Amino acid sequence: MRDPMADDRTLAERLLAGDKRALARGISLVEDDDPEGWALVREVYPHTGNASVVGFTGPPGAGKSTLIGALVAHQRALERTVAVLSIDPSSPFRGG
């Protein structure tokens, strides 16, 4: 009997189909500098269209989260898909 949770698609296919678990796995692979992660980036990159990447830095309390929240709300109002990846360089878990 086939496992109903099994998915025969590649990680890239799942990611491109909007699978959030595939995205999380891909991020982890890239963060870990795993060659599989960089192969995934090469496979997915041609499908990114005109995605934008924006970075914010600043000291604690400067309003980064407030600004990002407003920008996300604006983009969502335009019916755009938005993803936010937050990295804390002081994190005791992964060092950033």
Side-chain angles (χ1 to χ4, degrees):
M1 179 174 196
R2 186 177 191 284
D3 178 359
M5 296 301 287
D7 192 335
D8 295 332
R9 297 176 297 172
T10 67
L11 184 60
E13 289 169 335
R14 291 178 24 232
L15 191 153
L16 291 170
D19 182 334
K20 291 177 183 166
R21 293 181 77 131
L23 175 60
R25 177 70 181 135
I27 290 170
S28 293
L29 289 169
V30 172
E31 280 183 329
D32 294 340
D33 203 22
D34 187 304
E36 184 181 344
W38 295 110
L40 178 66
V41 169
R42 283 190 296 278
E43 188 172 348
V44 171
Y45 185 78
H47 302 276
T48 58
N50 56 359
S52 298
V53 177
V54 181
F56 295 90
T57 64
K64 297 177 298 295
S65 294
T66 302
L67 175 61
I68 292 166
L71 290 171
V72 167
H74 176 73
Q75 293 300 309
R76 294 297 299 136
L78 297 173
E79 298 185 1
R80 294 185 173 150
T81 301
V82 179
V84 176
L85 176 62
S86 178
I87 301 170
D88 179 358
S90 64
S91 169
F93 300 105
R94 297 198 66 159

